[in-house]
Amino acid sequence: MKFSNLKLSTPYLNLLSIFYEKVEPTPLDKPFLISISKSASQLLGVDEDLALDSKLLEIVNGEQKLEGSEPFAMCYAGHQFGDFTERLGDGRVINLGKVNGQNLQLKGAGLTLYSRLGDGRAVLHSSIREYLMSEAMHGLGIQTSRALALIGSDTDVVRDTREKGAIVLRLSPTWVRFGTFEYFYSIREYDKLRELADYVIDESFSYLKANEEAEELYLKMYAEIVKNTARTIAKWQSVGFNHGVMNTDNMSIDGRTIDYGPFAFLDDYDPNFVCNTTDTQGLYSFRNQPSAARWNLNILARVLSPLMDYELSEEILTNTFWSTYTQIYMEIMYAKIGLEIEHTEDKELVEGMIRTLGSSSIDYTLFFRKLSRFNGDKSDILDACVNREPFDKWLDKYTIRLEKETLSIAQRQRKMLALNPKYVLKNHILQEAIEKAKKHDFSMVNELLKVALTPFDEHLTLEYLCKLAPMNSKNMQLCCSS
Ligand code: AMP
Ligand code: MG
């Protein structure tokens, strides 16, 4: 199947018109293709080479339509840094339709009813970041929206400085957000809330549907959202990912990661790290991500209360969120350090390791990669620490603990190397790729795509993509401008 031969359907348009605006994309000037992800295209059943599809560029630029496509923007609300905004919506995203369980949308494709004071555009630098991080998150095995193509253009877009406009073609099984429900709750349109819940159950949770009473079904849907969200956040914490803008409008209803803005991977472990300069209170600091997710889930319970018993949903949240989060996080951390058999001292060993990471000044990703090759000789890890002493002691405890394991060293190393990425998209590397892209050299973007999709593999010619941040730019903050 060729990409340009795909046939789309638009089930979201079966909802009442209050849910969306039908709107055509506004193409960019002199568009050009920067990068394509074959991996993402496979989700759509595309098996012909995307690079040879002459219509791809025009479709991503909104100049041509796939068969069945009826473009629209979705309406939603959201709590942004704790404050409620009743009317947000796709201000610069235009949805094209759905195929193979994936909803296609163009980010940066022009004005919509929901653009407010914005220009409907996305600049090149933020589009490169979103495109690559979507694919990298998938490469890390974490639920996420995907990105199939990135195009640049000659259209000027004014932010802090003048930049060029770009468009990312994004895919997701759902683009409904917590904020979509908040909108209909805030305008007291409870029948619309029910309509949306039924749509979400069909789209994302149809496996729950066996003969349930309606209220029971909504509660089950909510329980799934709680679990999925807890799982995704546990995975973020395990890889050291800071999302940066966990507003309820950026929370996917099926718990996957969406809307990549000023994200960061930790350099040295600092639980108080806040990647987003706008977040002056540290609401979405690395440490706060699980509790921010829980706070958002509590908002969701409240806005779903016209459909289900609020006390019961609160009970679900209380009983499920932290237990799911902790169980998944600890399971991942045990696996990351190569522990197969659970022992009573393991929790303390992991907690001790996290404390030690905080006091050793060693890159978070590098530590686990080096630990994956640990064979009893501590020097390789200690040489990477600014402060050697804490890990000197911890590795002694770890060595003793490993003696209780039954796998051979080689078996353990193989398993750990498949769980501890060599490549994560650090901001200083992304910035290098962005600077080159601004000069029309997209080679680094495409090299980053390769390691993003296969982060656990060695790529001998691409080693420079995992170089550490210079001392003076470790755990740097980014601004929201996009
Ligand atoms: P974000 O911070 O990217 O999640 O965006 C928050 C809200 O602002 C969403 O409703 C976006 O659609 C909207 N938005 C962000 N940037 C723009 C823009 N340049 N033009 C129009 N709307 C925008
Ligand atoms: Mg957003």
Side-chain angles (χ1 to χ4, degrees):
M1 168 65 83
K2 211 171 161 175
F3 175 78
S4 54
N5 288 341
L6 289 172
K7 291 187 181 56
L8 306 188
S9 62
T10 48
Y12 206 72
L13 298 184
N14 295 335
L15 298 172
L16 297 170
S17 61
I18 191 173
F19 286 86
Y20 52 81
E21 180 212 15
K22 286 193 186 179
V23 56
E24 295 293 325
T26 311
L28 294 165
D29 302 329
K30 298 189 187 150
F32 51 86
L33 204 54
I34 295 177
S35 183
I36 45 182
S37 169
K38 285 186 187 166
S39 165
S41 75
Q42 283 161 2
L43 281 175
L44 306 181
V46 172
D47 49 14
E48 286 193 34
D49 194 347
L50 274 178
L52 300 177
D53 195 327
S54 58
K55 293 192 189 140
L56 176 71
L57 177 61
E58 287 174 330
I59 293 168
V60 180
N61 197 32
E63 293 169 70
Q64 282 222 24
K65 273 191 203 149
L66 290 166
E67 194 180 331
S69 174
E70 268 190 85
F72 63 96
M74 292 164 72
C75 181
Y76 52 82
H79 275 82
Q80 301 181 300
F81 298 97
D83 294 327
F84 183 63
T85 307
E86 180 173 292
R87 182 74 176 262
L88 293 166
D90 291 332
R92 52 176 170 170
V93 156
I94 297 191
N95 299 274
L96 302 180
K98 187 171 187 179
V99 62
N100 242 21
Q102 298 289 327
N103 294 286
L104 279 61
Q105 60 171 221
L106 306 176
K107 185 162 178 180
L111 293 172
T112 75
L113 184 61
Y114 316 110
S115 297
R116 297 176 295 153
L117 298 175
D119 56 8
R121 293 302 185 195
V123 290
L124 179 65
H125 87 263
S126 67
S127 304
I128 291 174
R129 291 171 57 81
E130 169 134 43
Y131 172 77
L132 289 174
M133 196 56 233
S134 307
E135 294 304 276
M137 196 57 92
H138 169 71
L140 291 168
I142 305 178
Q143 289 69 17
T144 177
S145 58
R146 302 290 302 276
L148 185 142
L150 165 66
I151 66 169
S153 77
D154 203 30
T155 301
D156 283 326
V157 178
V158 180
R159 294 288 180 267
D160 299 337
T161 57
R162 195 174 288 271
E163 261 204 69
K164 297 294 179 190
I167 295 178
V168 179
L169 171 56
R170 305 198 296 182
L171 315 176
S172 179
T174 178
W175 286 111
V176 175
R177 298 141 191 273
F178 290 14
T180 323
F181 282 96
E182 286 178 88
Y183 179 69
F184 295 101
Y185 178 78
S186 73
I187 61 168
R188 296 193 166 73
E189 290 275 3
Y190 300 149
D191 51 336
K192 310 294 184 309
L193 208 57
R194 185 177 300 275
E195 220 188 305
L196 182 63
D198 292 341
Y199 179 87
V200 166
I201 288 168
D202 277 343
E203 180 158 81
S204 302
F205 303 106
S206 58
Y207 57 91
L208 295 176
K209 268 171 52 177
N211 300 324
E212 299 287 354
E213 293 285 320
E215 182 173 347
E216 186 74 12
L217 194 53
Y218 299 138
L219 278 168
K220 286 201 165 170
M221 171 186 80
Y222 180 69
E224 290 298 284
I225 300 168
V226 172
K227 275 189 258 170
N228 290 354
T229 305
R231 181 185 311 114
T232 294
I233 308 291
K235 291 183 178 182
W236 288 0
Q237 301 305 105
S238 75
V239 294
F241 177 78
N242 191 198
H243 180 281
V245 201
M246 289 178 67
N247 295 334
T248 51
D249 51 302
N250 291 337
M251 300 290 290
S252 169
I253 206 68
D254 71 353
R256 76 188 54 241
T257 320
I258 55 168
D259 285 15
Y260 295 95
F263 64 80
F265 281 92
L266 295 176
D267 292 310
D268 295 356
Y269 183 78
D270 173 7
N272 295 318
F273 177 56
V274 181
C275 63
N276 182 357
T277 50
T278 319
D279 184 6
T280 47
Q281 311 274 320
L283 209 57
Y284 304 140
S285 69
F286 180 73
R287 183 205 292 275
N288 284 350
Q289 293 188 125
S291 52
R294 194 194 182 286
W295 193 89
N296 289 340
L297 284 161
N298 186 37
I299 295 282
L300 184 65
R302 206 164 69 206
V303 304
L304 289 173
S305 61
L307 308 185
M308 62 193 198
D309 187 328
Y310 179 61
E311 274 179 26
L312 287 179
S313 55
E314 276 295 280
E315 212 175 287
I316 290 173
L317 183 58
T318 306
N319 294 340
T320 323
F321 182 80
W322 284 115
S323 59
T324 308
Y325 170 79
T326 308
Q327 189 198 341
I328 295 173
Y329 177 75
M330 291 311 286
E331 272 172 12
I332 298 173
M333 296 314 278
Y334 293 148
K336 273 172 86 72
I337 66 171
L339 304 184
E340 298 247 309
I341 309 156
E342 235 183 285
H343 281 266
T344 43
E345 73 264 37
D346 292 353
K347 188 163 172 281
E348 169 50 29
L349 191 71
V350 167
E351 287 167 357
M353 174 185 70
I354 299 288
R355 278 195 303 276
T356 309
L357 276 165
S359 59
S360 302
S361 286
I362 180 171
D363 182 83
Y364 183 81
T365 308
L366 182 70
F367 167 74
F368 287 102
R369 193 72 183 176
K370 283 191 179 293
L371 194 71
S372 306
R373 298 194 193 281
F374 182 65
N375 60 6
D377 177 0
K378 298 187 277 188
S379 58
D380 191 38
I381 294 173
L382 298 185
D383 288 349
C385 298
V386 172
N387 183 7
R388 297 168 68 96
E389 198 194 322
F391 264 121
D392 199 4
K393 289 195 186 127
W394 184 85
L395 284 167
D396 287 339
K397 285 189 205 153
Y398 179 58
T399 305
I400 294 167
R401 171 62 186 82
L402 283 181
E403 281 161 15
K404 296 181 184 162
E405 292 291 317
T406 53
L407 290 184
S408 70
I409 293 182
Q411 282 171 323
R412 185 184 74 244
Q413 289 185 344
R414 206 172 319 115
K415 284 194 138 183
M416 287 171 71
L417 287 167
L419 280 175
N420 292 309
K422 171 146 179 168
Y423 297 94
V424 296
L425 294 185
K426 291 287 189 78
N427 283 331
H428 65 287
I429 301 282
L430 278 169
Q431 199 50 39
E432 274 185 38
I434 287 163
E435 297 306 331
K436 284 191 174 172
K438 284 183 179 170
K439 296 179 190 143
H440 273 252
D441 173 358
F442 305 113
S443 55
M444 201 168 161
V445 170
N446 283 303
E447 287 175 349
L448 279 170
L449 177 66
K450 189 167 178 189
V451 299
L453 284 163
T454 49
F456 304 103
D457 295 352
E458 296 289 332
H459 297 277
L460 291 181
T461 57
L462 300 176
E463 291 262 328
Y464 81 106
L465 297 177
C466 65
K467 75 177 174 222
L468 300 182
M471 267 301 188
N472 60 0
S473 67
K474 280 185 176 183
N475 287 347
M476 278 246 294
Q477 291 190 307
L478 273 96
C479 81
C480 241
S481 156
S482 63

